[in-house]
Amino acid sequence: MNETRSNIEELSLIWAEAERNNDAATLDKLLAEDFTAVGPRGFVLTRAEWLQRYQEGTFINDKLEWNINSVRTYSDSAVLIGIQNQQSAYRGQPSNGQFRVTQILVRNDGRWQIAGLHLSPTAQPEAH
């Protein structure tokens, strides 16, 4: 594994730990200034909105498992795909599930950050 891929995977694992621990301060350091997330139901959150959920305690992760499936690098950008299993609640309502997650990472001034995130519910193919 090359150093770039290793750095990207390490950042992604730190991100997962921060999400698991509802750690807005660490997430603040990991997310690019123009970070945008697309949630599993198609809603879009800005960086400020993503962080605010943790700062205000409206989104709580009770459990979060993170497995990296693939990493592709392109000079100062990368695409990482993984699987996230979570037991969470938003404003007290369950937000549990398994999601395929695509992370878009960029390198600014030699430092990798997460610029975008897209979550999709996983589903098994229908039997025919």
Side-chain angles (χ1 to χ4, degrees):
M1 178 183 324
N2 67 36
E3 184 179 350
T4 297
R5 182 183 171 119
S6 179
N7 290 340
I8 290 166
E9 288 186 1
E10 181 181 354
L11 171 69
S12 186
L13 294 172
I14 293 168
W15 165 82
E17 183 176 346
E19 290 281 331
R20 184 180 307 112
N21 295 325
N22 308 296
D23 183 352
T26 297
L27 291 170
D28 185 49
K29 296 173 189 169
L30 301 178
L31 305 181
E33 286 301 316
D34 60 351
F35 169 85
T36 302
V38 178
R41 294 188 178 174
F43 57 87
V44 177
L45 296 176
T46 65
R47 180 182 192 278
E49 291 167 329
W50 189 268
L51 294 173
Q52 184 177 31
R53 302 171 320 143
Y54 292 112
Q55 292 162 340
E56 294 179 352
T58 56
F59 188 82
I60 303 292
N61 282 306
D62 293 319
K63 178 181 174 186
L64 188 141
E65 298 170 349
W66 176 239
N67 293 296
I68 297 170
N69 295 125
S70 67
V71 177
R72 298 187 320 270
T73 59
Y74 309 93
S75 297
D76 290 332
S77 63
V79 177
L80 183 147
I81 297 174
I83 296 283
Q84 174 176 318
N85 286 298
Q86 70 182 41
Q87 291 180 357
S88 307
Y90 178 68
R91 298 189 186 274
Q93 298 299 310
S95 184
N96 303 330
Q98 181 180 69
F99 305 98
R100 174 97 47 206
V101 179
T102 302
Q103 294 180 338
I104 297 96
L105 300 99
V106 294
R107 183 168 37 200
N108 290 316
D109 299 321
R111 183 172 160 240
W112 286 99
Q113 290 186 299
I114 301 171
L117 190 70
H118 186 271
L119 293 93
S120 297
T122 58
Q124 296 299 318
E126 293 183 24
H128 294 280

